[in-house]
Amino acid sequence: MTKKEENSKDKLNTKDIIKTADEHLIHTYNRFQISLERGDGVYLYDSEGKDYLDFGAGIAVFALGYNNKAYNDALKAQIDKLIHTSNLFYNEPVAKAAKLVTKASGLDRVFFTNSGTEAIEGAIKLAKKYSFLKTGSTDNEIIAMHHSFHGRSMGALAVTGNKHYQEAFGPMIPGIKFAEYNNLESVKALVNDKTCAIIFETVQGEGGIYPAKEEFIKGVRKICDEKGILLILDEIQCGMGRTGTMFAYEQYGIKPDILTVAKALGCGVPVGAFLATQEVANALVPGDHGTTYGGNPLVCAAVVKVFELFEELNVLDNVKKVSKYLEIQLDKLVDEFDVAVARRGLGLMQGLELSVSPTSIINKAMDDGLILFAAGSNVIRFVPPLVISKADVDKMIEKLKRALV
Ligand SMILES: *Cc1c(COP(=O)(O)O)cnc(C)c1O
């Protein structure tokens, strides 16, 4: 028996995979009855060999498309050198990754985390410490937005404006108030002497794909400047080129004091980051924050390669070009189909609002070999790899039309 045959002997079929997983995993997800095995470009393949055009990208993660050879080779080379050290030493990938991500964001300092949620945790701690050093008080407040999503750990959950997610897990950390997204007056009404930070997504993702309005984001920036409040922008989903600029806030001509990034930062390896201006970052000193894995050589080698490939593949230009086309095609669906109510979004982060629940449409598309995710209760979300072509958009629209009828 060859080695290959021996391996395939242990290979589980789809039914066994699902059964084994369902018997042993904690049931926190209702999963599609599909087991994915490999990916190539903008396609995923299940264990039966069926192909899926992927407009979900592992929830806005795989910006470069699957099986990119240069990306894979960079990771393999790093695996053979050094996977992990600890943050008690320096290594070349983390130095390079830190330089690249600070330069791209226009911020001065970065702390690498293992996930988006942890980036939010770090951002909250940084804002609190900065405020403590300034006022000597720990009685601070943070303003977050209704319908936001920042993660599921206790700090991130506390600023996530969704009662349903919070309900069973109280008490939340105190001092969090919720304003209406894109409603400047509702933010102003909550600002007081205790406010240390205002946090929101530049484009709300899970809440239903709502880009910030220009007067809102600029208005909040102005309030923050006037009152010495920190602006924390969560670009975990909308950052890293998804909207056509490296970070979405660039399009509004403003900058946050603290930024959170993850998802496409490592394009598939678990890495996130929070960044800050020099002045704000100075608030954290040795002992204030830490992580064992965060920013280890393996994930940072991925981050470095992602930035290199963004340049080489002209990813931002492609997003600008293809997103215009995607917008036009989605607008046509709004004209053509009664269930399609509206389209909104920025770049390759688009939402199609429906008059019905998107579940059955998404399931129908899935059967037809198209991966789409929902956002909010009535929105189909389009967050494809950033390397898609107009032809991929055409194929997606063809399948989506079949699912909409
Ligand atoms: C996904 C997401 C998070 C959480 O990131 P994880 O990597 O899942 O921990 C936080 N904020 C936004 C805007 C997100 O889209």
Side-chain angles (χ1 to χ4, degrees):
M1 208 188 276
T2 66
K3 190 127 197 214
K4 203 162 176 192
E5 280 164 336
E6 229 173 273
N7 285 341
S8 68
K9 192 181 60 158
D10 303 324
K11 199 173 175 236
L12 300 179
N13 64 31
T14 303
K15 232 179 96 194
D16 293 335
I17 293 168
I18 292 172
K19 183 165 175 283
T20 307
D22 282 347
E23 276 172 9
H24 299 285
L25 290 172
I26 294 179
H27 186 195
T28 54
Y29 286 97
N30 289 317
R31 295 167 196 259
F32 295 104
Q33 297 298 296
I34 294 168
S35 170
L36 294 170
E37 194 164 276
R38 63 186 186 90
D40 198 42
V42 297
Y43 282 88
L44 285 165
Y45 299 85
D46 70 17
S47 7
E48 250 108 73
K50 177 175 169 179
D51 58 86
Y52 299 84
L53 177 58
D54 183 16
F55 267 65
I59 317 190
V61 167
F62 238 110
L64 296 168
Y66 302 96
N67 204 21
N68 178 293
K69 189 168 184 319
Y71 173 86
N72 289 359
D73 286 348
L75 280 183
K76 285 174 194 167
Q78 189 59 47
I79 285 171
D80 288 340
K81 268 195 261 179
L82 183 64
I83 294 175
H84 178 77
T85 56
S86 92
N87 285 310
L88 300 174
F89 298 93
Y90 293 91
N91 64 77
E92 185 176 340
V94 78
K96 285 183 167 171
K99 188 173 173 187
L100 285 163
V101 72
T102 50
K103 184 157 177 275
S105 63
L107 292 165
D108 304 309
R109 297 270 169 180
V110 59
F111 181 104
F112 288 108
T113 66
N114 305 288
S115 68
T117 301
E118 284 172 74
I120 296 290
E121 294 296 323
I124 293 172
K125 278 183 72 180
L126 173 54
K128 282 180 176 282
K129 179 78 192 289
Y130 180 82
S131 161
F132 173 75
L133 293 177
K134 209 169 71 175
T135 65
S137 161
T138 52
D139 187 21
N140 50 54
E141 292 182 359
I142 295 174
I143 299 172
M145 303 296 144
H146 288 296
H147 306 296
S148 60
F149 183 82
H150 299 292
R152 312 278 195 154
S153 61
M154 291 311 298
L157 189 60
V159 291
T160 288
N162 186 325
K163 280 261 162 350
H164 179 69
Y165 290 168
Q166 291 187 347
E167 200 176 17
F169 304 101
M172 292 290 123
I173 63 166
I176 313 292
K177 292 177 167 178
F178 288 95
E180 292 296 329
Y181 190 67
N182 276 336
N183 180 338
L184 193 57
E185 291 309 312
S186 81
V187 175
K188 278 185 187 161
L190 297 179
V191 171
N192 62 37
D193 291 346
K194 294 181 190 170
T195 311
C196 75
I198 301 175
I199 180 170
F200 61 90
E201 297 149 84
T202 316
V203 182
Q204 279 196 337
E206 305 300 314
I209 315 292
Y210 289 92
K213 293 200 172 117
E214 183 156 358
E215 66 267 25
F216 177 73
I217 199 167
K218 283 187 163 160
V220 174
R221 179 69 270 179
K222 191 155 167 270
I223 294 171
C224 289
D225 289 341
E226 284 167 5
K227 310 251 179 196
I229 296 167
L230 299 177
L231 174 59
I232 306 173
L233 287 181
D234 179 351
E235 295 225 2
I236 289 168
Q237 188 161 162
C238 66
M240 290 304 291
R242 180 147 296 280
T243 65
T245 47
M246 207 60 194
F247 294 99
Y249 58 77
E250 294 169 44
Q251 294 176 46
Y252 301 88
I254 60 113
K255 232 163 62 174
D257 303 294
I258 302 174
L259 166 70
T260 57
V261 194
K263 292 199 164 89
L265 177 61
C267 277
V269 295
V271 58
F274 64 94
L275 295 98
T277 60
Q278 181 71 55
E279 193 219 337
V280 174
N282 283 342
L284 292 181
V285 297
D288 277 342
H289 199 56
T291 163
T292 300
Y293 278 142
N296 78 15
L298 180 65
V299 299
C300 284
V303 172
V304 171
K305 203 60 194 174
V306 167
F307 276 100
E308 283 176 17
L309 286 169
F310 264 58
E311 292 266 318
E312 260 176 67
L313 303 172
N314 288 317
V315 165
L316 296 182
D317 288 342
N318 191 61
V319 173
K320 284 182 195 130
K321 192 178 73 193
V322 179
S323 65
K324 284 258 158 34
Y325 187 70
L326 174 63
E327 286 181 0
I328 293 166
Q329 301 312 314
L330 291 176
D331 285 340
K332 280 190 196 158
L333 297 185
V334 174
D335 291 341
E336 221 173 295
F337 291 87
D338 286 343
V339 288
V341 176
R343 176 204 57 85
R344 53 175 181 264
L346 216 54
L348 286 178
M349 183 169 179
Q350 295 287 332
L352 188 65
E353 188 178 321
L354 305 175
S355 58
V356 296
S357 155
T359 309
S360 71
I361 294 165
I362 286 173
N363 287 337
K364 240 166 119 179
M366 198 72 73
D367 288 342
D368 198 16
L370 168 65
I371 294 176
L372 291 169
F373 298 136
S377 59
N378 62 346
V379 176
I380 298 179
R381 162 169 37 176
F382 303 84
V383 285
L386 303 184
V387 294
I388 58 158
S389 65
K390 288 181 183 176
D392 297 323
V393 172
D394 288 339
K395 278 185 208 132
M396 182 279 288
I397 294 285
E398 207 183 290
K399 287 176 189 287
L400 179 55
K401 275 182 172 174
R402 285 201 286 269
L404 281 170
V405 291

